Amino acid sequence: MINLQPYENPQYFVYLVIALLPLIIGLYFGKRYKWYEALVSLAFIFLIFDADKWQQGVTLICYIVYQFLVTFAYQHYRKKTGKANKTWVFCLAVILAILPLVGVKIWPIVPHKQGIDFGFLGISYLTFKTVQVVMELRDGTIKQVDPVIYARFLLFFPTISSGPIDRYRRFVKDYDKAPSREDYIKDLSYAVRYLFQGFLYKFLLGWFFGTYCLPYLEQQAILAGRMYPLHLSWWLLGVMYCYSMYLFFDFAGYSLFAVSISYFMGIHTPMNFNKPFAAHNIKEFWNLWHMTLSSWFRDFIFMRFTFFAMKKRLIKNRNRLSQVTYLVNFMVMGVWHGLTWYYIVYGLYHALAIIINDIWLRFKKKHKLVKHNKFTEAVAIFVTFNVVCLSFLIFSGFLNNLWFNVPLGK
């Protein structure tokens, strides 16, 4: 059997283009073959989880069944009770939807038999989708979830492993109809453009920074670190910048592939990156970096916690409330990446960076200290870029290897 991970090698794209041809022809003539889309999605998901990953595939099936039970049980409860539904039932539904992901994150630190793993590729992004649907059912922004469309939404193969994170309501609008020929030709032009841009990012620039440059810089930084413990060498600075470039081009390239294939299928999956390293401050950076994740955390953690704290009058001062919410928001994001010190520090780092940025912006506005010009904009971009790159050095876990002599990933 062929074991193909999404967008990892040219062979994957050969099979993909062949599989998508009937779908592309159908959409060009104004017909959406939903049954064929489903078959293609299932086939490529099977390719992800065949061979030695079959256990992950079984776990995925169990996970989908479980999330269906949670989502449609809550939808039934909403219909039955109307506006009289209890808050604790909603909270229970959210907790149950998150529970598998929490278990997967905790499992590595729990003593267990070697080789037993309950996770699978894409569990985080599927969980973001299911929690979003439950929350929007509660809000009333989603009136009813169709089981067939919900299954297609969760198992939409271009985005299943690492996003971008789409929204159910937006997905339904594309899935329910075929675009006009004129619109689909535009989609094809974008799809081809994003596809080649993805190749440039992931297979050329990502390879250059991640495979060609980074291992050498890491080796030199480790040698320098062993000679001078805790010494911040130029090699470490090189690792910081090189890893940041690798992380961006690899992930942005992957996201471009996902968006490109979505457009070939007539689905307008949202973009994930928009020149994030040109951001003028850390808050703007998070509006440009991994945008679908940022907006998900903003809508379903930051805003929810803010409204809850305001309703319960936990914190009266608005500035203090926003600061606490930033800490909660980015702590959750850090823990979501993993229960290691560098992921948690990464989350706290960004929370503190945004808090400091807000304090500075309020101070600058109050005292009218600096006028905007090209020089100040360049300084702002330079400072933000370096603040972000330092956070990515923390995120990489390389400092764990450098300072504690622990291999990466441990």
Side-chain angles (χ1 to χ4, degrees):
M1 297 298 292
I2 303 165
N3 186 7
L4 294 176
Q5 296 304 298
Y7 317 126
E8 288 297 324
N9 59 68
Q11 187 182 18
Y12 181 87
F13 291 91
V14 173
Y15 289 108
L16 193 56
V17 169
I18 294 172
L20 290 180
L21 271 178
L23 186 61
I24 293 170
I25 294 170
L27 288 170
Y28 180 79
F29 288 102
K31 295 181 180 180
R32 180 180 290 281
Y33 301 129
K34 295 181 180 180
W35 61 271
Y36 184 76
E37 288 184 30
L39 286 177
V40 170
S41 284
L42 290 174
F44 276 86
I45 290 171
F46 177 77
L47 289 175
I48 295 173
F49 296 111
D50 77 334
D52 59 333
K53 293 185 172 61
W54 66 269
Q55 290 179 326
Q56 291 188 29
V58 173
T59 306
L60 170 64
I61 295 170
C62 296
Y63 174 88
I64 294 296
V65 172
Y66 173 82
Q67 293 293 2
F68 259 67
L69 291 173
V70 172
T71 302
F72 288 99
Y74 183 68
Q75 178 173 269
H76 176 74
Y77 172 77
R78 284 280 301 172
K79 286 183 178 180
K80 185 178 179 181
T81 59
K83 293 183 179 180
N85 60 91
K86 303 293 184 182
T87 300
W88 71 266
V89 178
F90 161 70
C91 293
L92 177 62
V94 172
I95 291 169
L96 289 174
I98 296 174
L99 200 58
L101 178 60
V102 173
V104 168
K105 294 298 180 182
I106 293 176
W107 184 248
I109 64 174
V110 176
H112 62 274
K113 188 177 179 180
Q114 192 79 12
I116 299 177
D117 189 4
F118 297 106
F120 60 86
L121 184 68
I123 186 172
S124 291
Y125 294 93
L126 287 178
T127 301
F128 290 141
K129 288 182 175 181
T130 54
V131 171
Q132 167 243 315
V133 169
V134 170
M135 288 188 170
E136 292 193 340
L137 278 171
R138 164 62 184 262
D139 296 342
T141 52
I142 295 177
K143 303 300 180 183
Q144 183 168 334
V145 178
D146 178 271
V148 174
I149 299 178
Y150 190 49
R152 288 284 293 109
F153 172 65
L154 294 181
L155 296 174
F156 187 58
F157 82 91
T159 63
I160 191 170
S161 59
S162 296
I165 306 166
D166 206 349
R167 301 294 177 94
Y168 178 79
R169 287 178 293 158
R170 199 221 59 74
F171 181 86
V172 169
K173 290 179 181 178
D174 289 345
Y175 180 78
D176 274 346
K177 59 178 177 30
S180 67
R181 180 172 296 185
E182 182 181 354
D183 288 340
Y184 187 60
I185 290 173
K186 290 180 181 178
D187 287 349
L188 287 177
S189 67
Y190 283 117
V192 172
R193 173 188 167 186
Y194 295 149
L195 185 65
F196 281 97
Q197 189 178 353
F199 274 110
L200 172 64
Y201 277 21
K202 184 171 178 63
F203 293 124
L204 292 178
L205 296 173
W207 172 85
F208 175 76
F209 287 108
T211 304
Y212 185 77
C213 298
L214 188 59
Y216 175 75
L217 292 171
E218 287 180 336
Q219 184 182 21
Q220 295 303 315
I222 290 171
L223 291 174
R226 287 174 181 171
M227 291 177 64
Y228 306 100
L230 300 182
H231 174 64
L232 301 179
S233 66
W234 290 106
W235 294 111
L236 184 59
L237 197 65
V239 170
M240 182 180 83
Y241 289 127
C242 191
Y243 178 80
S244 298
M245 293 300 101
Y246 160 70
L247 184 64
F248 168 70
F249 286 117
D250 184 75
F251 196 10
Y254 180 98
S255 296
L256 283 166
F257 287 143
V259 173
S260 170
I261 302 308
S262 300
Y263 271 62
F264 276 120
M265 299 174 72
I267 303 292
H268 295 158
T269 294
M271 293 293 288
N272 233 1
F273 296 89
N274 184 19
K275 301 177 182 177
F277 291 136
H280 294 77
N281 57 61
I282 194 67
K283 187 179 288 186
E284 184 180 337
F285 169 81
W286 277 106
N287 289 327
L288 303 173
W289 173 274
H290 205 342
M291 295 184 290
T292 59
L293 179 70
S294 300
S295 63
W296 192 95
F297 270 83
R298 179 196 64 214
D299 294 345
F300 300 111
I301 294 181
F302 184 90
M303 297 305 298
R304 303 276 169 166
F305 183 83
T306 299
F307 291 146
F308 173 79
M310 290 176 65
K311 184 178 179 180
K312 299 296 182 179
R313 297 183 179 180
L314 299 179
I315 304 172
K316 294 181 179 179
N317 185 289
R318 286 180 176 270
N319 293 332
R320 297 292 174 270
L321 175 59
S322 67
Q323 292 168 2
V324 171
T325 309
Y326 284 133
L327 285 168
V328 171
N329 188 72
F330 282 97
M331 270 297 294
V332 172
M333 185 180 289
V335 170
W336 163 65
H337 280 103
L339 295 175
T340 56
W341 72 264
Y342 44 87
Y343 289 141
I344 294 171
V345 170
Y346 168 81
L348 286 172
Y349 176 97
H350 273 281
L352 292 173
I354 289 184
I355 290 170
I356 293 169
N357 179 73
D358 278 359
I359 293 172
W360 163 246
L361 290 177
R362 286 195 299 270
F363 181 82
K364 187 174 70 169
K365 183 178 180 180
K366 181 179 179 180
H367 297 279
K368 299 179 181 179
L369 292 180
V370 182
K371 293 183 179 180
H372 290 288
N373 54 53
K374 290 184 178 180
F375 175 75
T376 57
E377 285 192 8
V379 170
I381 292 171
F382 176 79
V383 171
T384 303
F385 174 72
N386 281 276
V387 167
V388 168
C389 287
L390 178 56
S391 77
F392 288 155
L393 178 63
I394 297 169
F395 176 84
S396 71
F398 178 70
L399 296 178
N400 205 44
N401 184 26
L402 183 66
W403 291 343
F404 305 116
N405 199 27
V406 177
L408 293 177
K410 298 293 184 181

